[in-house]
Amino acid sequence: MIDFLGGFSQFTGIYGFMNSMWGWPVIESLHFIGLCLLLGTVGVFDLRMLGLAKQIPYQYLHKLVPFGVAGYLINVTTGIMFLTTAPDQYVYNPAFQTKMLFMLLAGINMLSFYGFCNQYVQNAGTNPLPTRIKLVAGISLIAWSAIIVCGRLITYFRPPYHWCLWC
Amino acid sequence: MALVVGINVAVSLRLLTTNSPTTLPGFDKLYPLHWLGACFIFISGVALLLAYPAKALTNPVFYLKVASLVTALIIAFKIQMRLQRSSSDTRYSLSTKTLAAFALVLWIVTIFTGRFLAYTNSVLLASRFY
C-alpha cells in the first residue's frame, strides 16, 4: 500500500510539487480554507438545526451547502496530496487513522441526513426540529470537530516514534 | 479559527449570493459564537507568541497575519452592526457586499500567512541574540 501510494505521487508529479519550496505550506493553507468552507456551511447549518439563531430559515443555510461540498472536494484533493507524498507518516499514524474513522462517521451521518431528514428540514421553515434530526446535526458537529483535532494531532503522532494499538 | 472563519464565510457567502430583499434574518445571532471563537484565537495566539516570541516577532509574515486578522475582525464587527440595524426588508448595499468580499480575501490571507509562519521563520529562540 505504501509503495502504491508513493508510486502514485511520483507518477503524477505530486511528490515533486509537494517537495518544492512552497508546495507543502500552500497545500496546507488550501486544506484549511476547505475546512473553513465546510465548517462555515455544514457546521453553521448543524448549529442552526440544534437551535442556534432561530430566526434563520433552514433553507437559507442549506443553499450554502454546495460551498461546503466544494470545501470537502478541496480537502479530499489536498488530503490525497499529503497522504501520497509521505504515506508512511499517515498510514501508520493513529491520529490519521482516527481522523479517517470520524470521516467515515461524518459520511454515514450525511447519508442518513439526506435519506431521512432533508425533506423534513426543507419544509420546516423556522420551526424547531425533532430530536432525531438534532441528533444527526449533533453527530455531524462532533465528527467534524474530531476531524479537525485529529488532523492537528497527526504531526505529533508520527510513526515510528509513537506506539499505537494497531501499528 | 475555523469557527470564526466559518461563520464569516457563511455570512459573506449569503450576502454575496442573494439579491432578495429579505436577505439575512437572524444571521446576527451567530456572532456571539463568532466572538467566543475570536477569544480562543486571542488566548491561543498569545500563548504561542509567549512560547516563541523571537520566532514570531522577527518574521514579517507575522505582522501581515496580525494586520489581516485584525482588519478582518473589524470588518466582521461592521457587518454585524449592519445586520443588527437592518429590518426584515433590508436590501443590502453594494458597500456591504464589497465588505463581505474583502473580508473573505482577508481571511484567506490570514490563513495563508498563518500557515507560512511555520516555514518562513529565520530565528527560533531569542537566545540567538546574546
Side-chain angles (χ1 to χ4, degrees):
Chain A
M1 186 177 183
I2 299 288
D3 291 341
F4 169 76
L5 292 170
F8 175 80
S9 181
Q10 296 274 3
F11 175 73
T12 53
I14 291 173
Y15 185 87
F17 173 75
M18 294 297 278
N19 285 293
S20 63
M21 192 176 178
W22 300 118
W24 201 278
V26 165
I27 298 304
E28 274 188 331
S29 302
L30 289 176
H31 198 68
F32 193 76
I33 287 169
L35 182 75
C36 291
L37 272 174
L38 250 172
L39 216 73
T41 54
V42 177
V44 171
F45 186 50
D46 289 336
L47 285 170
R48 172 65 194 95
M49 287 196 290
L50 286 170
L52 187 80
K54 292 184 172 65
Q55 297 91 333
I56 305 176
Y58 300 105
Q59 64 266 30
Y60 276 34
L61 290 172
H62 193 259
K63 281 180 185 162
L64 299 177
V65 167
F67 291 101
V69 174
Y72 182 79
L73 292 176
I74 291 171
N75 278 8
V76 168
T77 307
T78 51
I80 288 171
M81 291 174 83
F82 295 132
L83 173 66
T84 57
T85 302
D88 57 326
Q89 296 294 309
Y90 289 91
V91 173
Y92 303 120
N93 191 316
F96 176 75
Q97 292 164 346
T98 313
K99 180 178 177 175
M100 290 301 106
L101 280 178
F102 277 109
M103 282 195 73
L104 182 67
L105 175 67
I108 294 169
N109 192 59
M110 187 198 71
L111 289 177
S112 71
F113 174 81
Y114 280 102
F116 307 111
C117 312
N118 186 37
Q119 204 59 46
Y120 187 98
V121 173
Q122 291 293 323
N123 299 321
T126 55
N127 298 323
L129 297 171
T131 309
R132 67 183 169 88
I133 297 179
K134 286 185 176 178
L135 187 68
V136 170
I139 290 172
S140 173
L141 262 186
I142 290 167
W144 286 112
S145 302
I147 287 165
I148 293 172
V149 172
C150 291
R152 205 46 242 162
L153 288 177
I154 284 173
T155 194
Y156 302 103
F157 286 88
R158 288 184 183 174
Y161 313 111
H162 288 85
W163 177 87
C164 71
L165 196 63
W166 50 78
C167 296
Chain B
M1 188 72 173
L3 180 69
V4 173
V5 182
I7 289 174
N8 276 287
V9 164
V11 173
S12 296
L13 288 178
R14 183 64 195 160
L15 270 168
L16 291 169
T17 58
T18 185
N19 283 317
S20 70
T22 52
T23 46
L24 302 172
F27 273 70
D28 58 308
K29 301 290 186 290
L30 295 171
Y31 278 91
L33 196 61
H34 169 274
W35 294 113
L36 179 69
C39 289
F40 278 110
I41 289 178
F42 179 75
I43 293 165
S44 58
V46 167
L48 288 168
L49 181 62
L50 290 176
Y52 290 98
K55 183 184 174 188
L57 297 173
T58 56
N59 191 343
V61 177
F62 172 75
Y63 297 99
L64 183 59
K65 179 186 172 171
V66 172
S68 57
L69 174 64
V70 170
T71 313
L73 286 174
I74 291 169
I75 290 176
F77 181 71
K78 280 177 107 52
I79 291 176
Q80 180 188 5
M81 290 299 107
R82 290 187 189 188
L83 292 181
Q84 282 174 345
R85 278 200 303 267
S86 64
S87 58
S88 60
D89 60 348
T90 298
R91 187 186 288 275
Y92 288 95
S93 64
L94 189 63
S95 70
T96 307
K97 292 192 176 198
T98 309
L99 268 183
F102 188 45
L104 283 180
V105 172
L106 282 172
W107 286 117
I108 290 170
V109 172
T110 306
I111 290 168
F112 265 87
T113 48
R115 233 18 264 161
F116 273 70
L117 269 180
Y119 297 87
T120 52
N121 65 294
S122 53
V123 176
L124 185 62
L125 297 169
S127 58
R128 184 186 139 164
F129 297 111
Y130 46 81

